[in-house]
Amino acid sequence: MSGLTLSEIRAAIKTQLRDNIDRQTNVDVDGEGMPAPVLRLYLRQSDPIDYWGTFGSTGIAEVRFDLEIDPGGVDQSAVIRLDEYLSVGTGNTSSVIDALMSDVTLGSVVQTCRINSSEYDQQNVTATLSLTVVCRKQGAEV
């Protein structure tokens, strides 16, 4: 849990999702253009990193990502798959939320990860989760 390395955070999110979702789902964190069903991680375009507080003995940074969930298609089967991805706390092994929250430190890479909000696009049968990852600078006091 030290420092702000975006590639390490992306890799930790990818590993956590792949290790905790049983459904065959691609995880694209590097813009590889993987086919659906896919979870696509993007650094938020507007205000992606808050460096406030990164200086001094308790330095932290917040990094904001968007995680797009694309179940593939716009038919009833896609709606059902998206419902499974968005389910929470039911023991559903397709739950993106449960997969992310299974270890909020992402394998001790960050201090914490939280889901802030979600958006649902009914027409395109996709959803986007807004994530915030909190990192402590190297050597920061807790």
Side-chain angles (χ1 to χ4, degrees):
M1 241 187 325
S2 60
L4 173 63
T5 306
L6 293 175
S7 58
E8 187 177 6
I9 295 168
R10 283 188 181 105
I13 291 171
K14 181 176 187 173
T15 297
Q16 186 139 322
L17 289 170
R18 294 191 74 173
D19 288 353
N20 291 289
I21 294 180
D22 286 343
R23 175 183 289 279
Q24 286 190 328
T25 303
N26 290 310
V27 182
D28 185 352
V29 300
D30 299 314
E32 300 164 303
M34 297 177 149
V38 62
L39 308 175
R40 293 184 190 97
L41 186 71
Y42 302 101
L43 192 60
R44 171 112 16 98
Q45 288 189 4
S46 149
D47 194 26
I49 303 172
D50 181 3
Y51 294 105
W52 184 87
T54 60
F55 309 102
S57 62
T58 59
I60 62 167
E62 289 189 355
V63 183
R64 293 170 198 83
F65 293 96
D66 287 326
L67 181 66
E68 180 187 33
I69 304 168
D70 180 354
V74 293
D75 58 3
Q76 186 60 32
S77 295
V79 171
I80 292 168
R81 285 191 301 274
L82 187 56
D83 284 351
E84 290 177 2
Y85 285 128
L86 293 173
S87 296
V88 62
T90 62
N92 170 10
T93 57
S94 295
S95 171
V96 172
I97 294 91
D98 288 350
L100 280 171
M101 296 297 99
S102 66
D103 176 5
V104 295
T105 69
L106 303 174
S108 298
V109 172
V110 301
Q111 181 179 346
T112 193
C113 174
R114 65 181 178 263
I115 299 170
N116 301 313
S117 63
S118 63
E119 293 181 17
Y120 188 90
D121 182 341
Q122 187 172 1
Q123 182 177 357
N124 294 310
V125 189
T126 61
T128 303
L129 302 178
S130 169
L131 312 177
T132 298
V133 175
V134 178
C135 308
R136 285 204 180 275
K137 78 173 191 178
Q138 192 167 14
E141 299 170 6
V142 177

